[in-house]
Amino acid sequence: MWLRFNFILFLWMFAFSVKGQNHAEFLPSDEIFCNPERGFYTQMSTLASDWDMLSAYSLSVYSDLHTPYSSGFQTCNSLILRMVILDGFQESPLPESVMESLETDFNLAREYGVKLILRFAYIDEVLGPTVEDPNALYGDSNLDNVLLHMGQLADVIEENVDVIALMQLGFIGAYGEGYYTDYFGSPGDEGFLSDEDWALRSLVLDSLLSVLPEDRMVQVRTPQMKQKFIHGPSAPTTSSTMDSAYAYSGIDEARIGFHIDCMLSSWDDYGTYNDLGHSGQPYASADTTHLRPYLRDESKFVVVGGETCYDGYNPQNNCSETDGGQVQLELEQMHVSFLNSTYNNDVNNDWVEGGCIDEINRRLGYRFELLNASMVYNPDTSSMAEISFSIQNVGFAAPFNPREVEVVLRATDGSEIVHFDVNSDPRTWSPGEVVQVTQHLDVDALPSGVYECLLFLKDPHMSVSINPKYAIRIASYLGSGEDVWDHTLGMNRLGIVLNKGLGSCHADINQDGIVGVDDLLLLLSDFGCQESCVNDIDDDLVVTVTDLLMILGAFGADCPMVD
């Protein structure tokens, strides 16, 4: 039975194998697992006046599969929203202890393989005028003090950008969401924002973009904030979206994304799509007709995330499988990379009941699946090997931060591991598309041997690049049913090998002059051997799938006969 099974496996793989080439096909995985800079996140807040350090225990729990508080589903968090409330410092510089505490937080995040979404605010509740006290303040800080604090924070941010996924604009108003503010114009008071209000807000955004290294994005709360920053205070809601040619260029326009913190909560998401006017238009009104499409089109190239906040918007915020439900469509159209795992779980738990929570868990942000991979190498004519793979993104979005792509050749005997850069940017592997990647590898200097091929989607920051938790895992299985993910290396197996210098006739086990079925049967009879292996082809002392791939790659080769 075992022999018959392997022979059938051979016939299946042989259909994709020719002389000088080997090929692999893949099956999709529906497993839920962590991947960097995407998925459900957990919010962990602290007061600057009484710093509550990130907890090693909490990060160890959150970064693995767990059930979020008050939820009915399991997930894991590669992202933590770190909300820092600068309470008590509205009129004074920050003490050095704030920067030291941030440094400690960053170090712990690095240790547990997570990244932070970073937001600063001065108040974490809605204060301000009341009937009893119409002159009460909201409690945020003025422009000069905000810019002073940004300058103080600049060094610790720059030094730890490797574990900062992005920043949110923050600083202005309650929760740093730009509303209920004493100094930047409060639309709740005036009904609109003046040109001066927009200019002050744009100065805060400009300063934060300058503080944060240009390979990181800043999220703003509303699409109008970006329009006013790019096109000026009087920019209309019909302002043009970014030219796709500027995507990922590092210019300001390409670095401004959105956090929708009341997603699918009402027809205008509680003011997300409000037109807050300007001095020449002293009134505010909702404009979903223009602002929703604006955010949708921008979201193809900038980061979008957020949270749900109100469960009354039914049936729209229910699973798309239910009558009138729109949640997957909304997440797909807005290219959402992350959502809060604990707020609002009145909404999130509806997705459990509706049967779409697992799909959302898998598809938030990017999710890559390999379709096939192949290697062509003819040492008689060239020192170059050609490797190709097809990959599709079944997620809601593409990665939003830079990511390096490498093909890694690992000798099956463990003696060599060689990295080759691949000229492809995963940020352009758009959702719903299949991408074909081909790269030529100069293998002339490689020592003779058999090399397993792996795909490494690594973080470009050296401080975290070798940590598997910061590498992208592909959601695929090899044809044999084995997961492509190597959790020790943080790399993905491509199911193909490079035979360098051993020659096709190394696979002529019975030395009858041709690599054929008899050789395959001899190999299969010894398959799984761990020592003193008679039919070991690749000289790694064991008989494994790499030996099988060598036969398939050499199948049909003519060899000298041995009498």
Side-chain angles (χ1 to χ4, degrees):
M1 179 63 72
W2 171 248
L3 191 61
R4 179 179 299 174
F5 169 79
N6 281 279
F7 188 69
I8 292 172
L9 175 64
F10 156 71
L11 291 176
W12 179 78
M13 295 185 70
F14 177 71
F16 305 105
S17 302
V18 296
K19 183 177 179 180
Q21 169 181 314
N22 59 77
H23 183 102
E25 298 281 322
F26 301 91
L27 302 171
S29 165
D30 62 0
E31 184 179 349
I32 293 170
F33 51 78
C34 264
N35 248 336
E37 301 172 339
R38 60 153 301 277
F40 280 103
Y41 69 84
T42 292
Q43 179 172 328
M44 302 180 74
S45 300
T46 184
L47 299 176
S49 63
D50 185 19
W51 200 279
D52 184 12
M53 294 291 181
L54 290 180
S55 158
Y57 172 76
S58 294
L59 291 185
S60 68
V61 171
Y62 296 150
S63 61
D64 204 348
L65 277 177
H66 67 283
T67 301
Y69 176 75
S70 76
S71 76
F73 63 96
Q74 282 206 315
T75 192
C76 58
N77 307 136
S78 66
L79 291 170
I80 301 294
L81 173 57
R82 190 55 163 160
M83 175 83 84
V84 181
I85 307 302
L86 302 173
D87 63 315
F89 302 105
Q90 285 88 338
E91 298 179 358
S92 63
L94 299 175
E96 190 61 33
S97 60
V98 170
M99 279 63 77
E100 292 171 353
S101 296
L102 273 172
E103 183 77 38
T104 301
D105 280 351
F106 289 135
N107 288 335
L108 198 62
R110 195 176 291 112
E111 180 181 349
Y112 283 91
V114 300
K115 293 198 178 187
L116 304 185
I117 302 167
L118 194 58
R119 189 199 301 183
F120 296 93
Y122 294 94
I123 42 176
D124 60 349
E125 58 182 328
V126 177
L127 302 173
T130 62
V131 173
E132 294 78 13
D133 186 0
N135 297 315
L137 297 176
Y138 291 111
D140 59 345
S141 191
N142 62 44
L143 176 66
D144 288 343
N145 209 49
V146 169
L147 298 184
L148 170 64
H149 290 167
M150 282 190 188
Q152 290 183 272
L153 294 164
D155 286 347
V156 72
I157 288 172
E158 182 176 5
E159 291 164 5
N160 293 280
V161 71
D162 59 331
V163 289
I164 299 174
L166 66 137
M167 289 186 68
Q168 295 177 341
L169 176 57
F171 290 102
I172 300 171
Y175 314 105
E177 291 192 18
Y179 222 78
Y180 305 116
T181 169
D182 296 315
Y183 300 98
F184 298 90
S186 184
D189 296 334
E190 302 295 334
F192 73 101
L193 294 179
S194 69
D195 288 2
E196 181 182 1
D197 296 333
W198 285 118
L200 292 174
R201 289 165 181 252
S202 291
L203 284 172
V204 176
L205 177 53
D206 183 66
S207 180
L208 189 59
L209 287 165
S210 299
V211 165
L212 191 63
E214 71 173 27
D215 66 348
R216 288 296 184 264
M217 295 188 185
V218 173
Q219 287 183 314
V220 296
R221 178 63 184 84
T222 65
Q224 269 228 312
M225 184 65 243
K226 181 168 185 176
Q227 289 179 332
K228 302 294 188 179
F229 178 80
I230 299 299
H231 302 289
S234 61
T237 58
T238 55
S239 296
S240 61
T241 55
M242 180 179 67
D243 188 324
S244 61
Y246 297 131
Y248 317 120
S249 64
I251 66 170
D252 287 348
E253 189 172 5
R255 296 176 58 205
I256 302 172
F258 309 94
H259 60 105
I260 309 173
D261 283 355
C262 257
M263 195 175 296
L264 279 170
S265 58
S266 69
W267 70 286
D268 67 345
D269 286 350
Y270 273 61
T272 297
Y273 303 108
N274 275 1
D275 176 2
L276 295 180
H278 53 85
S279 295
Q281 179 192 305
Y283 59 87
S285 62
D287 188 355
T288 57
T289 301
H290 297 106
L291 291 175
R292 278 185 61 86
Y294 174 85
L295 195 153
R296 178 197 64 208
D297 293 344
E298 287 274 324
S299 70
K300 297 174 185 176
F301 308 109
V302 299
V303 59
V304 174
E307 63 186 15
T308 58
C309 74
Y310 176 61
D311 191 29
Y313 193 48
N314 287 310
Q316 289 89 342
N317 64 10
N318 292 334
C319 295
S320 298
E321 294 84 353
T322 62
D323 187 21
Q326 299 176 7
V327 61
Q328 293 107 302
L329 178 62
E330 178 80 356
L331 298 175
E332 191 172 84
Q333 288 186 338
M334 299 303 180
H335 302 93
V336 175
S337 286
F338 50 82
L339 287 175
N340 195 332
S341 65
T342 59
Y343 187 77
N344 183 335
N345 274 335
D346 288 341
V347 179
N348 298 354
N349 285 335
D350 283 349
W351 303 340
V352 178
E353 297 172 9
C356 64
I357 189 65
D358 286 348
E359 178 187 351
I360 293 170
N361 230 334
R362 288 190 292 264
R363 296 186 63 198
L364 282 171
Y366 60 85
R367 186 176 177 91
F368 296 129
E369 295 177 350
L370 279 164
L371 300 180
N372 55 67
S374 61
M375 169 77 77
V376 178
Y377 175 53
N378 294 302
D380 295 336
T381 60
S382 175
S383 65
M384 305 296 288
E386 180 185 275
I387 189 166
S388 298
F389 60 88
S390 293
I391 193 165
Q392 67 178 347
N393 185 354
V394 298
F396 294 133
F400 52 84
N401 280 334
R403 180 122 333 229
E404 294 179 358
V405 183
E406 293 181 348
V407 167
V408 177
L409 301 183
R410 178 175 62 173
T412 55
D413 64 3
S415 61
E416 295 282 339
I417 184 165
V418 185
H419 296 246
F420 295 86
D421 293 333
V422 175
N423 184 25
S424 190
D425 186 345
R427 292 176 296 182
T428 66
W429 298 356
S430 302
E433 294 186 3
V434 175
V435 178
Q436 179 73 30
V437 179
T438 299
Q439 188 71 34
H440 291 88
L441 317 177
D442 187 348
V443 298
D444 189 50
L446 280 184
S448 295
V450 177
Y451 294 83
E452 180 185 14
C453 301
L454 303 107
L455 183 61
F456 190 16
L457 305 177
K458 74 175 191 178
D459 193 295
H461 289 274
M462 289 294 295
S463 53
V464 296
S465 65
I466 62 171
N467 185 340
K469 288 190 173 183
Y470 291 109
I472 289 179
R473 176 180 175 179
I474 292 174
S476 294
Y477 296 114
L478 297 165
S480 62
E482 182 183 10
D483 200 311
V484 300
W485 180 243
D486 185 317
H487 69 275
T488 302
L489 294 174
M491 301 178 191
N492 302 277
R493 301 179 184 89
L494 289 174
I496 52 179
V497 296
L498 173 74
N499 175 4
K500 172 71 191 306
L502 293 183
S504 299
C505 293
H506 220 64
D508 184 14
I509 296 175
N510 63 2
Q511 299 183 331
D512 65 352
I514 188 170
V515 179
V517 173
D518 290 341
D519 301 294
L520 176 71
L521 294 175
L522 285 170
L523 177 72
L524 294 178
S525 70
D526 210 17
F527 198 83
C529 173
Q530 297 294 313
E531 57 183 346
S532 303
C533 304
V534 175
N535 297 318
D536 171 30
I537 299 174
D538 59 5
D539 296 332
D540 65 352
L541 305 180
V542 295
V543 178
T544 65
V545 70
T546 57
D547 300 286
L548 177 61
L549 289 172
M550 281 194 67
I551 281 190
L552 296 177
F555 202 84
D558 294 323
C559 302
M561 292 186 63
V562 177
D563 296 328

